[in-house]
Amino acid sequence: MGEVLAGNHATWELESDALVIRFERGIRTPRLFQTLRERRVPYEALASVTLTPGRRGTVVLHAVPRPGADPLMTAAAGQLKETCDPYRLALPGDREALAAHWREELAALVPPGPADPEERCEGGFLVAPPQGPLSFKAYDGKAVFDGSSEVSFRWSSTGATSEKWKSGDRFYPVRELSGVEWRTPDAPGGCLRLLLRGAEVTAERPDHDPASVVFGLGYGAVHESLPFAAAVLAAVRGKERAPVPAGARGAAHGNPGVVAERIRHLGELHRAGLVTDEEFAAKKTQLLAEL
């Protein structure tokens, strides 16, 4: 054990119980790799190891993770470009013999898996979520995760739709979430959507859904939004799946400080002419009723 293999943008090291992947820091290294820095992958989190020809005369070692073993790859849901896949290591073609030796060494450490290689891991994730970032700027607001219990969306005065402004900043306890949907910012429709337990998505368009933040040019970059989604997903998976107690839903909004802030925000919308007198009165009454 302790063998180290250096490839493009990363090194692999075989330890007694895990494959340790350390990523380089440099202008040519994908920013996602720089954010991840290091990943410790228990051998039981791997399904197989492959060696295939790569681009421009390279060969690629691919430690294939088991479905559901890694929150990062679960959140990515197959949307990552091959060059940004942290489980792929490219080496010069003249090192193919060494790469083949590594494939055999690593494959021998992977324990026998289920008969169906697509069978998902049960229970918690086998790979720890990335350490950060736990906040990022989206086109229509800022997403913040406290690392364990709550996700908040604070809307932008310029990017958020009137529907989101009228709903006020949102606070979602992790215990009320069933999952996270991440759509890459590298394709149209990029967004991060929180999935609420026992609730259906009420707005197909993420710019109208208060449980979503929208990406855009320069907003919600992969190296920021994907580790965020993975961290939230890991927290959701780690929570007990007990029913939410009656009255617990919306408890964050029942906090006097939160309610006061939302009423202040509502007043700003009213003075700006974005809500009518009737809407202002009705919403204020609703907020006061949460206390």
Side-chain angles (χ1 to χ4, degrees), residues 206-228:
D207 58 336
H208 290 175
D209 181 3
S212 302
V213 287
V214 176
F215 303 153
L217 185 61
Y219 297 95
V222 172
H223 71 281
E224 296 176 333
S225 61
L226 180 57
F228 180 100

Side-chain angles (χ1 to χ4, degrees), residues 134-233:
L134 295 182
S135 66
F136 68 91
K137 190 174 182 180
Y139 174 74
D140 57 356
K142 184 176 182 180
V144 178
F145 177 40
D146 66 4
S148 61
S149 61
E150 184 179 84
V151 181
S152 63
F153 294 156
R154 300 181 182 273
W155 306 123
S156 163
S157 60
T158 56
T161 58
S162 60
E163 288 88 350
K164 289 186 175 180
W165 266 101
K166 290 180 181 179
S167 73
D169 293 339
R170 310 298 289 183
F171 302 86
Y172 294 97
V174 168
R175 68 174 179 271
E176 294 185 9
L177 304 180
S178 63
V180 179
E181 178 186 2
W182 180 81
R183 299 181 187 174
T184 177
D186 294 336
C191 69
L192 182 143
R193 189 193 303 269
L194 302 177
L195 305 178
L196 305 181
R197 295 179 61 186
E200 297 182 357
V201 175
T202 57
E204 290 188 5
R205 289 178 51 177
D207 58 336
H208 290 175
D209 181 3
S212 302
V213 287
V214 176
F215 303 153
L217 185 61
Y219 297 95
V222 172
H223 71 281
E224 296 176 333
S225 61
L226 180 57
F228 180 100
V232 174
L233 189 59

